[in-house]
Amino acid sequence: MDDKYAHLFSRVKAAIIDSIVLIVLMYAATWVLGAFDEVSNYVRISVFVFVFLIYEPILVSVFGASVGHFFNDIVVKKEHDESKNIILPKAIIRFIFKFFLGWISLLTIQGDKKRKAIHDFVGGSVVLKYQK
C-alpha cells in the first residue's frame, strides 16, 4: 500500500476529535438559543441539524480537513485529482454515509490499496497524509 494514504488509527483519532468538537458546538448552540426568551422547537431542531450536518462537510470541501483531520495531519481530497478538495454536495453525501455506517465504514480501509473507507467510495474521496 502506498504510504501517502492515511492509516486507520489517524482516521479514528480524527473522528474522536470531531465528535468532541461537535459536542462543544451543540453546547454552544444550546447556550445561544437559551439566551432568547422563546425559541420554537422547529428553530432548535433546525439549528442542531444544520450544525451536525454541515460542520464536517463545509470544512472538508473548503479546507480539505475538519478539525480532527487537521490535528492528525490528514486531508480529504478528490480521488481522481488529489490536489483538489471534494465539492460540498459530495462532502455532505460522504458525511451522511459516514454517520449512518459508523465504524462499519472503516472496515474496508485495510483491504484497499488507497485505504478508502466505504464513505470514501461514495464520496469519490481519499484521505492522505498531509504533506508539509
Side-chain angles (χ1 to χ4, degrees):
M1 284 190 210
D2 197 337
D3 199 43
K4 71 179 182 177
Y5 300 104
H7 291 275
L8 176 62
F9 188 62
S10 295
R11 295 181 69 163
V12 170
K13 288 190 306 183
I16 291 168
I17 291 170
D18 285 332
S19 297
I20 293 167
V21 170
L22 268 173
I23 290 168
V24 170
L25 288 173
M26 294 292 186
Y27 180 77
T30 301
W31 183 76
V32 169
L33 291 173
F36 297 96
D37 290 334
E38 290 188 34
V39 178
S40 71
N41 285 339
Y42 174 76
V43 170
R44 289 181 187 279
I45 291 169
S46 297
V47 166
F48 285 102
V49 168
F50 180 78
V51 168
F52 182 77
L53 270 181
I54 218 70
Y55 158 73
E56 183 176 321
I58 283 183
L59 292 177
V60 165
S61 65
V62 173
F63 301 109
S66 65
V67 174
H69 294 130
F70 175 78
F71 279 109
N72 285 284
D73 292 325
I74 57 178
V75 291
V76 180
K77 297 294 182 180
K78 285 184 178 180
E79 179 179 17
H80 298 296
D81 186 353
E82 295 176 356
S83 67
K84 294 184 179 177
N85 298 336
I86 60 175
I87 61 174
L88 183 59
K90 282 195 172 193
I92 292 171
I93 292 168
R94 178 183 182 273
F95 176 75
I96 290 170
F97 271 82
K98 182 178 176 179
F99 173 73
F100 282 112
L101 292 176
W103 299 106
I104 292 170
S105 185
L106 299 175
L107 292 177
T108 58
I109 289 176
Q110 295 306 107
D112 184 69
K113 65 181 181 175
K114 292 184 178 181
R115 295 190 182 110
K116 290 174 59 171
I118 295 170
H119 57 269
D120 293 317
F121 284 103
V122 172
S125 62
V126 290
V127 181
L128 306 169
K129 293 179 181 177
Y130 180 70
Q131 302 298 316
K132 297 178 183 179

